[in-house]
Amino acid sequence: MNQSLVAEHKRLCQQIEEFAQRELNGGETAFCRLKWEKCANFGLLAMCIPEKDGGMSESAMDSLITHYALGYGCMDNGFTFAVNNHLIIAEGIFPRAANAGQCEDYSQGFIDGSLIASYAITEPDHGSDSAGVTMQARLVGNHYVLDGSKLYISNASIADIFVVVARTSDGPSRLNSLSAFIVHKDDIGVEVGKEIKKMGLMGCPMGELVLRGCILPKERLLGSEGGGIMIANLAMEWERTFVFASHLGTMQKIMENCITYVNSRRQFNKTIGSYQLVSSKIVQMGISIEFGMLLMSKIGELRDAGKNTFRESAMFKYHIGEAYAKTSLDALQIFGAYGYSDESGVERQVRDALAARIYSGTSEIQQDILAKLMGIRTDS
């Protein structure tokens, strides 16, 4: 646990860390439904959902601390990532974009764990360029008909509900041409492809979502027609903060494990922490974590004040994405041959961490965003 937390957040953090360590560690590396049910019973899936929809209405800062503590306490980063992706929909999108009827239909299922959610925007030819999606949604009478495919979708094979972004207009403005829809896994025309094998995050399945003549009632439109880019930005902002808060917690745990190891491992009649080239790696971890905690706190304060955090979210995503990868690689170097072995768990941390530089918009995309926000002009 990071000691810079205030007393109230330390208590919350400790409760969630103890729950995660007791109930979520050990067992299979693939997604585990039993762990999911334990999270629901503990109340983890209800934290930031409004009380009127059955949730706890906790503050944004409390939710960030919850994600941080889950990342610290749960050794299964893939499972944590699956929870994170579900909460993008349940805590992030639905309370802000869904109408009262939609919240009534889905929120309780999100909370009790009977419904698992997935956000689907990435396509084979459109990753970071979210405004360029090509999946089509045509209004035919009182229904929308969706055609196209989504790729690299987290939670694809376990999801009951997808929030899908598709093109509803071929007009000149890309920003007003997209809309978001609620798609059920058992809707006609829905096909979930086989799981995509990947480098890490094994506890969060990834796959393809294909819609062929998928017919949806108009009531499944999420938000307004043409409002898809707003929902996409909302999802990205939520992902860049709350998912990466979990990564910050994982970084804290990695650093603490490194400190324990260098204080006990001896070479040339000294603990290896005595060597400055070793200790400096851990010092850099601590600096990165401390800056991450400060930025996370600022984001929580801004969100609780109802203010926009688009800029801060991009900064947080970039900083944590890069620092998480470096922290895991430095830990591997510190643990040496043992770290490279499967039993150490260190090599798994490396495999899990490297993707953080890619999803939610690559590190390079975050720098482009921040350059524009800083007033740097780019020639077209």
Side-chain angles (χ1 to χ4, degrees):
M1 182 191 300
N2 190 289
Q3 295 306 308
S4 66
L5 296 171
V6 299
E8 177 186 354
H9 290 148
K10 281 184 179 179
R11 288 192 295 271
L12 175 61
C13 205
Q14 184 175 5
Q15 290 172 356
I16 294 165
E17 287 169 9
E18 290 175 352
F19 160 75
Q21 291 165 352
R22 183 179 65 250
E23 302 290 352
L24 304 182
N25 291 336
E28 56 192 302
T29 57
F31 175 80
C32 178
R33 176 70 70 162
L34 178 59
K35 290 180 182 179
W36 189 270
E37 293 171 357
K38 289 179 178 180
C39 287
N41 293 336
F42 183 73
L44 201 65
L45 307 182
M47 288 289 294
C48 223
I49 294 177
E51 192 173 354
K52 65 180 178 61
D53 297 320
M56 298 181 183
S57 289
E58 298 291 356
S59 68
M61 191 64 217
D62 285 339
S63 187
L64 284 165
I65 293 298
T66 298
H67 285 260
Y68 167 88
L70 183 63
Y72 179 93
C74 181
M75 294 173 59
D76 186 346
N77 299 320
F79 180 79
T80 298
F81 195 63
V83 173
N84 292 155
N85 276 275
H86 167 83
L87 292 177
I88 291 170
I89 306 297
E91 288 187 348
I93 293 178
F94 258 70
R96 292 159 182 80
N99 60 40
Q102 290 168 338
C103 288
E104 184 177 351
D105 288 341
Y106 299 103
S107 291
Q108 189 55 48
F110 292 154
I111 290 167
D112 64 25
S114 60
L115 293 178
I116 297 178
S118 172
Y119 177 64
I121 187 169
T122 302
E123 296 182 355
D125 294 324
H126 295 280
S128 297
D129 180 15
S130 57
V133 299
T134 58
M135 176 176 280
Q136 296 292 316
R138 296 175 291 110
L139 182 61
V140 181
N142 292 320
H143 296 79
Y144 284 96
V145 181
L146 277 65
D147 287 281
S149 64
K150 301 293 184 180
L151 193 61
Y152 307 125
I153 304 305
S154 298
N155 288 357
S157 62
I158 59 173
D160 304 287
I161 302 294
F162 297 89
V163 169
V164 175
V165 177
R167 186 166 298 281
T168 47
S169 168
D170 293 321
S173 173
R174 295 203 311 167
L175 298 183
N176 297 322
S177 300
L178 304 180
S179 302
F181 299 89
I182 303 167
V183 176
H184 297 179
K185 68 175 181 180
D186 53 0
D187 283 333
I188 295 173
V190 174
E191 177 185 342
V192 177
K194 66 179 181 179
E195 185 175 339
I196 297 171
K197 302 300 182 183
K198 55 190 189 301
M199 182 178 181
L201 299 172
M202 302 305 185
C204 179
M206 174 192 286
E208 182 180 16
L209 176 67
V210 180
L211 304 183
R212 293 190 178 96
C214 177
I215 300 173
L216 303 178
K218 288 177 67 175
E219 292 74 24
R220 298 271 201 91
L221 176 68
L222 185 61
S224 61
E225 186 169 306
I229 200 67
M230 182 275 291
I231 290 175
N233 286 337
L234 176 62
M236 277 294 129
E237 191 175 342
W238 196 268
E239 187 173 358
R240 289 168 185 166
T241 51
F242 292 85
V243 174
F244 282 76
S246 286
H247 297 339
L248 182 58
T250 304
M251 288 168 58
Q252 177 77 31
K253 188 66 174 179
I254 292 172
M255 183 185 71
E256 291 176 8
N257 289 341
C258 286
I259 292 171
T260 300
Y261 185 74
V262 301
N263 284 340
S264 60
R265 172 73 167 167
R266 300 183 67 85
Q267 293 289 285
F268 306 103
N269 297 318
K270 291 181 179 180
T271 58
I272 63 172
S274 303
Y275 299 100
Q276 191 173 27
L277 287 174
V278 174
S279 63
S280 63
K281 286 180 170 57
I282 300 177
V283 169
Q284 290 299 318
M285 293 179 191
I287 292 171
S288 294
I289 290 167
E290 198 64 30
F291 275 113
M293 293 296 295
L294 291 169
L295 193 48
M296 184 178 78
S297 295
K298 181 179 181 181
I299 291 170
E301 291 172 2
L302 289 171
R303 278 192 169 275
D304 285 330
K307 296 181 179 179
N308 183 281
T309 61
F310 187 74
R311 169 178 170 272
E312 289 76 13
S313 296
M315 288 182 172
F316 189 62
K317 194 278 172 186
Y318 173 78
H319 172 68
I320 298 300
E322 293 294 314
Y324 184 23
K326 186 176 188 304
T327 294
S328 66
L329 286 167
D330 282 347
L332 179 63
Q333 195 71 20
I334 288 168
F335 276 79
Y338 177 63
Y340 196 68
S341 70
D342 180 69
E343 68 175 288
S344 71
V346 178
E347 58 85 28
R348 176 181 53 79
Q349 290 287 4
V350 174
R351 291 187 285 105
D352 290 344
L354 293 180
R357 302 176 71 243
I358 300 171
Y359 50 71
S360 308
T362 64
S363 292
E364 291 78 10
I365 288 292
Q366 304 312 309
Q367 291 180 89
D368 282 347
I369 291 170
L370 291 168
K372 291 173 184 175
L373 291 174
M374 291 169 67
I376 298 173
R377 292 180 297 183
T378 56
D379 296 330
S380 58

